[in-house]
Amino acid sequence: MTGPSGADLWADAIARLSDAGVEDPQGDATRLMMAALTRVLGKQVKRHHMRDHLNAEAPPELIPAYRDMIEARTARQPVSQIIGYRSFWKHDFSVSRDTLDPRPETELLVETALELPWDSVLDLGTGTGAILISLLAERPAARGLGTDISQGALSVARDNAQRIGVTAEFAVADWFDGVDGRFDLIVSNPPYIAADEMAALSPEVREWEPRRALTDEADGLSAYRVIVAGAKAHLNPGGHVLVEIGWRQGGAVCALFEAVGAKTRILSDLDGRDRVVHAAF
Ligand code: GLN
């Protein structure tokens, strides 16, 4: 071997990520090397190929490609943004700096929605389209509309729908302002972090994810107030609303829905934290 081995690059990357305060340096160094190799070799490199690549001399083009990715990660850019996608439910979703990364906790909302009867669904603040596209992939005969205030997010969502092979409508809207018609189900994972909680977030989230997808710059409940106020006018009789919530917001969000006559329940995620409110109208 004349140049560095894959393992040399990998070990160096782990040290750099660790110095930068990254939580899982080894895991991230591995995922980024898989992505860099996939890019450079033009074919999918999976985890079980890694031992061979680590033992072999690194292809020369890998060195700058991997270096750039590790550099981005030391600046605390999320792995998903560096590699361009994040897995959610049954698909890989393209992500960008215009979209919130789909989170595993949100899969509870998808799972719950699939237990309900509906033929039409509205996803308010669709971002990557993760919720809407996952639902429509499971229920292809249903009609779905995803809205977002961000054009950048909607273009990511449209690409995701097309690549995954789902037919959905997308439209720019400010919550219900810009939405016509009625639906059987309304879903949303709105910005629910209170302004005074933003400072405590990791740099990955605070500095790289779109701020307006995270916080309402107020008490964290503003979006729910708007959704509750418009829900009845946009639901078919007997319709349902499912919203993701912060773990301490269950009581407050249920109270908002109950004040307009809905029946509510709270669902907990795998960590046992309140995560989704179901309101039945
Ligand atoms: N609906 C998207 C998701 O759950 C985006 C949510 C958001 O940007 N707040 O991933």
Side-chain angles (χ1 to χ4, degrees), residues 88 98-103 106 109 123-132 147-148 153 175 187-192 210 212-215 244:
F88 177 85
D98 292 318
T99 59
L100 190 85
D101 256 28
R103 307 285 206 275
T106 307
L109 196 157
D123 181 12
L124 295 170
T126 196
T128 58
I131 299 173
L132 181 75
T147 66
D148 210 286
W175 303 119
V187 294
S188 186
N189 176 21
Y192 55 70
R212 65 184 167 177
L214 296 166
T215 179
E244 182 166 322

Side-chain angles (χ1 to χ4, degrees), residues 85-208:
Y85 70 90
R86 172 111 171 212
S87 302
F88 177 85
W89 196 247
K90 297 185 181 170
H91 302 281
D92 287 341
F93 287 86
S94 293
V95 304
S96 78
R97 290 202 66 182
D98 292 318
T99 59
L100 190 85
D101 256 28
R103 307 285 206 275
E105 305 85 77
T106 307
E107 293 177 341
L108 174 65
L109 196 157
V110 171
E111 202 180 323
T112 309
L114 293 172
E115 291 162 4
L116 297 171
W118 50 269
D119 294 317
S120 56
V121 54
L122 167 64
D123 181 12
L124 295 170
T126 196
T128 58
I131 299 173
L132 181 75
I133 293 167
S134 297
L135 289 176
L136 293 174
E138 300 281 0
R139 217 168 271 190
R143 174 178 72 87
L145 169 64
T147 66
D148 210 286
I149 198 155
S150 158
Q151 285 280 10
L154 285 174
S155 90
V156 172
R158 282 193 186 98
D159 285 352
N160 279 324
Q162 192 178 18
R163 188 172 30 77
I164 292 167
V166 154
T167 305
E169 272 178 79
F170 292 99
V172 181
D174 182 1
W175 303 119
F176 288 114
D177 190 357
V179 176
D180 290 327
R182 290 175 184 266
F183 301 81
D184 299 333
L185 173 67
I186 297 172
V187 294
S188 186
N189 176 21
Y192 55 70
I193 300 170
D196 62 9
E197 294 171 337
M198 287 297 287
L201 297 179
S202 70
E204 280 82 354
V205 177
R206 200 181 56 239
E207 288 165 23
W208 291 94

